[in-house]
Amino acid sequence: MVSSSREFDQCKTTGSSFESCTFGGVTVRGGDWSFVNLRHAPLRKMDWSNVRLVEADLYGADLKESRWTNATLTRAVLQHADCTAADFIGADMDGVDFTDVTLKKTKLDVMQAVQVARSLGAIVE
């Protein structure tokens, strides 16, 4: 039996470009995806828990219903990404600009909510 599933288990893809790639049947388990180009990538319902994505370019990506528990998204680009019903609880999102990011029903922890407010111009004390 031939499987169409693909696994990235603890892979280092630093600096790689996945623009225009499809991710159907792909599983990512940990690893370092820092500085990757995932612009406009269809990442819906994928689990990116425990993956390092420092300064990853997720511009315009479909992140609906995806999971990012304990992922490192420091300074990642999320402009125009659709994060509807995504779960970012526990993810490190320092330096992320949430301007122009769709956050409907998105799960955030308190620190991330503060970052969102600051990105939108709020003064949080």
Side-chain angles (χ1 to χ4, degrees):
M1 174 185 234
V2 176
S3 173
S4 62
S5 295
R6 301 292 180 254
E7 293 184 11
F8 288 89
D9 192 357
Q10 301 300 322
C11 291
K12 183 176 182 179
T13 62
T14 306
S16 298
S17 180
F18 294 94
E19 189 170 5
S20 300
C21 290
T22 58
F23 284 84
V26 172
T27 301
V28 177
R29 290 191 187 94
D32 192 348
W33 289 62
S34 296
F35 308 101
V36 297
N37 177 359
L38 292 163
R39 292 175 71 87
H40 304 287
L43 307 177
R44 176 179 245 172
K45 295 186 178 181
M46 288 186 66
D47 188 346
W48 292 86
S49 296
N50 303 305
V51 178
R52 183 173 166 82
L53 294 123
V54 173
E55 296 190 33
D57 188 351
L58 295 158
Y59 181 96
D62 179 358
L63 308 181
K64 293 176 193 154
E65 303 174 66
S66 57
R67 184 178 171 119
W68 304 83
T69 305
N70 299 319
T72 304
L73 291 157
T74 308
R75 294 178 306 282
V77 175
L78 289 176
Q79 277 73 30
H80 301 284
D82 189 344
C83 299
T84 300
D87 183 349
F88 290 101
I89 293 176
D92 179 352
M93 301 182 83
D94 287 339
V96 172
D97 180 359
F98 289 94
T99 307
D100 297 321
V101 178
T102 302
L103 295 171
K104 296 177 186 170
K105 298 182 181 178
T106 305
K107 294 179 183 175
L108 302 171
D109 60 34
V110 173
M111 290 306 297
Q112 294 160 348
V114 168
Q115 287 176 263
V116 170
R118 286 183 174 149
S119 288
L120 299 176
I123 298 171
V124 181
E125 294 183 22

